[in-house]
Structures are given as C-alpha cells and as structure tokens.
Amino acid sequence: MKENPVLEVSNLKTYFYLENNFVARAVDGVDFTIHQGETLAIVGESGSGKSITSLSIMQLINKPGKIVDGTICLEGDNLLTKSSKQMTKIRGNDIAMIFQEPMTALNPVYTIGSQIVETIRKHKNLSKHAARERVIELLNLVGFPRAKEVMNEYPHQLSGGMRQRAMIAMAISCDPKLLIADEPSTALDVTIQAQILDLLMEMKERLNMSILLVTHDLGVVAEYADRVLVMYGGQIVEETTVEAIFEETKHPYTIGLLESLPSLEKEVKRLGAIKGSVPPAYLFPKGCRFADRCPHVMDQCRESNPELLSIAPTHKARCYLYELGGGHSHDNRAKTTAEQKI
Amino acid sequence: MTIEQKQLQNKKSEQEQNNETIMQASHIKKYFPIKGGIFKHTIGHVKAVDDVSLSIKKGETLGLVGESGSGKSTLGRVLLRLLEPTEGEVIFEGKDISHLNNRKLRAYRKHMQIVFQDPFASLNSKMSVGELIEEPLLVQTSVSKPERKQMSVELLEKVGLRANDRAKYPHEFSGGQRQRISIARALALNPKFIICDEPVSALDVSIQAQVLNLMADLQEEYHLTYLFIAHDLSVVKHISDRVAVMYLGRIAELAPKEQLYQNPLHPYTKALLSSVPSTNVREKREKIKLSGDLPSPANPPSGCVFRTRCPMAHDRCISEIPALSEMEKGHFVACHLYE
C-alpha cells in the first residue's frame, strides 16, 4: 500500500438538529484515510450515514445539519477551517463528486457542453475556445463517439448511461485529486453499470486519482474497491481490505449483510435475513447500535458502545466479541455461530 | 394402503397439479401509439411487448428479467389485464380473458393480484392499514365488518406485523414494512396468481432478504403462483423455478433456472450474467462487454432486436427474426446461432 494519504478524516461528526430537540447523529465519529491511487468503498444500508459522510467532505451539508466536530484534511490542509469562498475553489477542482441520479445533477436547461465549459472556466484560466476544445477531448475520453454533437445536446436527449458519462467528464475536467462517487451506478441497468464502473476505474488509473466509492452493492465493492469501510448507525463498524471483508468477515452486521445477499454462485434455501431494521438516527441506543438486531448480543453490548478495535494490522471491527477473546484465537467465532444458526 | 403408498400418491397428484397451467399467454403484442402533428394522428408505435408467448404452471415461480425498457412490466400488466393486449390471447385457467370488459373481468380479478415496486406510491396515504387491507374484501366479497377486521388482523400477523398496526397509516412504516402491507393486501382475497413487479428493488439488502423469505413462506402456505419481475439476476435466481429473459419486447431465452444460470445460450443472457458484479474476490469472471444502450422500442432494429449490441451478429440476424425454439427440454432460446 502506498503510504501517501490524500484525504484524512478524523472524528467527523455531522448532526442534524430536528424539531422537538431531537438530534440525529447521522455521522458520529468517523475516522478514515484515503491514499493516493486507492479506491476506498463505504458500504451501508440507507440511514447508515454513508452519503452524509461524503457530503460532509464536500461541505454540502445544509441546515438543520451541521458538522459539529472533527477534521477533514486534504493533503494535510484542514478543509473545515476554509471559508465558503475557498471551498468553492476546492469543490470541482481538487475534489469532484458524481451523484446517483445524473438527471437531477445536471441542469436541464443548459447544454452538456456549456455545463462542462462552465466548470473548467471556473477553475482554470482558459479561453472559451480552449475550454470547448478541452470538453470535446474529455467527452471523447469518456466514450462519446460523437463528442462534437453531444456538446450541443441537452441532458434529456441522452440515456441514463450517457448522462453518467457526461457527469464523469465534468468531474474529471479539472484533474481532481479525489473523486467521490455516490452510488454512481445504482440507477443504471447491469450491462450499463459495468461500462460506467470500468470507465471510472480507467479514469482513475489515467489521472492517478483516488476514489471514494459510496455504495450499497457488495458486488460492486468486491469488483472495484481496494479497501472497505462498513458503516452502520453513523459509525464505522468494520474496516479492512476487500479480500478480508468477504473472506474473514468479523462484525456480525457485515456477516448478516453478506448472508442476506442472494448470489449467482451458490444456492441457499433461505436467505439469512437480519431481523428488524436500522434505527432512526435520533433514536440510537446507548450501547452498540447494532445490539437490537445482533444474534450474538451480550449484556455488555447494551451498556456501552464498543470502540473500533484493531484485530489485525489491516483489520478493525467495532464489536465486543473480539475484545473479550483478545483477537486471533476467536477470529471466526461470530462466523461459526452464525453458520450453526442456519 | 400403507403410509408410504399414500405419500407416493400424494406426491404424484402434487406433480400432476404442478404440470397444470394456470396462465397461458400466446403471441401477446402490446403497442402504444405515438401521437403527433396538429390533429394528433398516430405517427408510430412503441412496441413494448412484441410477440411473446409463455405459460406459467400452477405453484411455480416464473422469473422475468430484463433491463429497463425491455417490456417486462408491460407484459405483467397485460397478463393481469390491467392493459388490453393489441394482439394475442391471455388464457387464465382455461378461459380467454384477453378482451373481456371490466365487469366480466371483476370475477377474475380476485384470483390475480399484484405487488408493486414502490411501497411509498402504491399505498393510499390517506387510508389506515386496516382500511387498505379490508378494501379488497369490501369490494369483492360480502364479508361482514367484524369478520373483515378479524381477517385483516390475521393477514397482518401472517406478514409479520402486529394487530395494532391496523390503525396506523402508511407513513408510519419503513419501506420493508410497507411492502409487507402491500403483500397482506394482495393476499386478502386468497388469490391463486400474484405478479410481483420488482417487489424488493427499493429495499435494502437485509430487508430485501426478509421480504424474499416471507414471500417464499407464503407461497408454500397458500400454494401461490408467482410471476416475479425484476432486474436483479441474483434475486431472480434465488426465488424462481424458471426464468425468462426479455430484451426489447421479446423473450430472448426461457429455461429452468439451473440451466439458464449454468448454461446460458443466448449472447444477451451470457452478457447479462457476466456483468453482475460478483462477491467472489479471488476468482474474477470474464466479462462480456456490451457496447451501447438499449435501442428505442419505437424503432426496434430489423431482424433480431439484439443484433445492434450482439458480439456474434451476422447477416442473417439483420433480415430474419429468430424464433423461440426448444434446444433441450424446457430450454428455449431465440437466436440464429442455434438453428
């Protein structure tokens, strides 16, 4: 692993202040690092805080939400101390973002060309003509065979996959160091999804970017990520390499998630569903946030929330099962009991 | 008669029952007119479903997969007669229902139900859960009010909700719970055939698994027949007995699930299966990449509709529409490569 951190997030807390003095702790103490050229995936279900984490990095959190604590350092520079004017310069230039639904992310009343030209001219000192040339080059790069015509077309004239390509062209237009892709392929059909994700990875190699891939799809994680963060209830519950997340799964939530996934390779009679559903962010229990749904819940879990523990050099999990046993000898404890249950 | 013989006989009669066809569709076409010009003339047709034939056996789950725009939902609605087919016949339990009027259809409606994708849009937000579940009983049967209440409580418990949820409104429930309400509502009239149109695609994986398990349990208990429409190939594989793959209004391949997933024949099925991201991090499958997008169903390619994206296309594919033909028992494919 190249030890060259691009983004370091530590103790990030983003809370939403709701009516009746409810506080939704959407992101609650998240730490992670993305290295240069790395693809880090954040997986989780809806309400886990994965999207709010990525929006917090871009500082796109609006009222009633607020980043209440933590630091977000881009190459050592804390973004949370920047003014909104300085942030505007960073967004799109150093950090770019791709959203799930390209139809809502693109402006319907401007042509594709003019929207990308606007982005480039905002950040780079280029003439209109030079910017247009650059856009044609970018559109070719992301796989538009008729780039010149697409320049003058509106978003509604393109298909979903093509719009997402246009979004990628816009995102990479200023050579960002970090690209945040928030569910980039979820709205697309499988055959198109593969095209878009392959394109994203090709661009990553070519421009030496880092990618923060936010997704709910574990298959996408397995194929494209280097490292994985599993989020639940606004916190990271497991963090490790992509191989270890599937082969040496530790946290009961991750195990449950993998078992609820129907697979093309193996046949199961019944899926191992996790009982219950994600608690709302303003009603987290005081102990472990997964306690109510966990098949291995102990008294201790209801008392206090476990820390994110290192159980191997590249493996962390937030679970008391691994604290008690003291690590390696009980590595597969959760997994074997889960298997017995089935 | 010994117990064993009895069991054998039961098994036999079960098998016989299994072979009974509940729904037969032959040469279904559904064209939607495109209106244009100042007098709103019909200037073309969107060929949403174009010459589809299939049969569904009693008690089985037929999976229907395809990308958006492939016509899978339209086909489902034609089978339920929510839409009238432009051509072709829909035969439900031996009776042609393809052109019945609404009044005559009502007798069949209670045997056929549908569960929609979006549980936020398909439940009336102004009706309580009890009212929602009792509504079909009110319309179709003459069950008294206390009985209806009793039945709705039973149905709620069946789908894993509580009796006191009757008084609540849909917005008080999460996505997975709402889908349970939709299922309870569909079950109210004790139907024989349920179309599930992307019932779990809006749900998170852990909730999706709960709903899929529930649907499998209910199928066993009530001897239901499902047509399961979805775009997620792994979900379809999990729940189905047979699977049909649709592309641009036509069936490309139809086979028992083991055959379809282990030995896909149609180039489209192969590409589709290879594009599903796998959670196996050690062995990467070879991906067959398809270029381009689905063509417009208003102007489908001549000959084989898949030829514009097919890596194996040849001259014959341009001029001739491939027929759906049986390659081995129960395995149908529409491709010139196998003729």
Side-chain angles (χ1 to χ4, degrees), chain A residues 162-195:
Chain A
M162 287 296 164
R163 276 182 219 139
Q164 205 58 296
R165 280 175 197 270
M167 279 296 293
I168 293 176
M170 189 189 292
I172 61 171
S173 61
C174 297
D175 299 323
K177 296 171 185 129
L178 173 69
L179 181 66
I180 301 176
D182 189 351
E183 305 266 10
S185 61
T186 310
L188 307 173
D189 285 315
V190 268
T191 56
I192 311 293
Q193 162 172 303
Q195 289 174 11

Side-chain angles (χ1 to χ4, degrees), chain A residues 44-47 50 159-162 186 188-195 197-198 216-224 242-244 246-248 253 256-278 293, chain B residues 66-69 72 174 177 202-214 216-217 220 231-238 240 257-258 261 268 271-285 287-294 309:
Chain A
E45 298 180 277
S46 26
K50 58 189 193 306
S159 68
M162 287 296 164
T186 310
L188 307 173
D189 285 315
V190 268
T191 56
I192 311 293
Q193 162 172 303
Q195 289 174 11
L197 290 169
D198 287 343
H216 71 281
D217 187 333
L218 288 155
V220 168
V221 171
E223 299 239 340
Y224 298 97
V242 70
E243 289 84 16
F246 293 103
E247 289 170 358
E248 293 156 47
Y253 173 64
L257 214 51
L258 286 171
E259 277 165 4
S260 22
L261 206 65
S263 135
L264 284 184
E265 277 109 17
K266 57 175 197 277
E267 190 76 17
V268 287
K269 190 90 187 79
R270 263 183 98 73
L271 296 167
I274 307 176
K275 61 178 182 184
S277 55
V278 184
R293 304 177 73 191
Chain B
E67 296 179 274
S68 36
K72 53 191 193 305
S174 66
Q177 288 171 321
L203 308 176
D204 279 317
V205 267
S206 70
I207 310 297
Q208 172 179 303
Q210 292 172 2
V211 174
L212 287 173
N213 284 343
L214 172 70
D217 293 343
E220 204 159 296
H231 68 279
D232 186 325
L233 288 146
S234 353
V235 168
V236 168
K237 177 172 184 244
H238 175 75
S240 308
K257 101 173 143 185
E258 294 79 20
Y261 283 87
Y268 177 61
L272 205 58
L273 285 173
S274 78
S275 343
V276 179
S278 153
T279 51
N280 189 340
V281 281
R282 295 276 170 224
E283 282 167 54
K284 293 281 174 212
R285 275 171 299 168
K287 268 190 204 164
I288 305 168
K289 274 191 201 160
L290 288 183
S291 54
D293 285 319
L294 199 74
R309 298 172 78 193

Side-chain angles (χ1 to χ4, degrees), chain B residues 6 10 67 193 233 235 292 315 319 333:
Chain B
K6 235 181 196 170
N10 278 347
E67 296 179 274
F193 178 57
L233 288 146
V235 168
D315 293 345
S319 54
V333 64

Side-chain angles (χ1 to χ4, degrees), chain A residues 3 14 85 94 117 127 172 189 194 200 223 242 285 306 312 328 330:
Chain A
E3 285 305 318
T14 306
K85 217 173 179 181
D94 296 312
V117 165
S127 73
I172 61 171
D189 285 315
L200 215 55
E223 299 239 340
V242 70
H328 294 291
H330 291 269

Side-chain angles (χ1 to χ4, degrees), chain A residues 200-271:
Chain A
L200 215 55
M201 292 304 138
E202 191 192 320
M203 294 300 120
K204 184 194 94 165
E205 293 296 317
R206 194 182 276 239
L207 305 169
N208 200 15
M209 296 186 292
S210 308
I211 292 184
L212 181 65
L213 182 66
V214 179
T215 182
H216 71 281
D217 187 333
L218 288 155
V220 168
V221 171
E223 299 239 340
Y224 298 97
D226 299 318
R227 260 181 340 119
V228 188
L229 306 175
V230 182
M231 281 190 76
Y232 186 85
Q235 294 179 324
I236 296 172
V237 294
E238 188 158 1
E239 173 182 354
T240 185
T241 60
V242 70
E243 289 84 16
I245 203 84
F246 293 103
E247 289 170 358
E248 293 156 47
T249 323
K250 292 288 188 287
H251 199 280
Y253 173 64
T254 322
I255 294 170
L257 214 51
L258 286 171
E259 277 165 4
S260 22
L261 206 65
S263 135
L264 284 184
E265 277 109 17
K266 57 175 197 277
E267 190 76 17
V268 287
K269 190 90 187 79
R270 263 183 98 73
L271 296 167

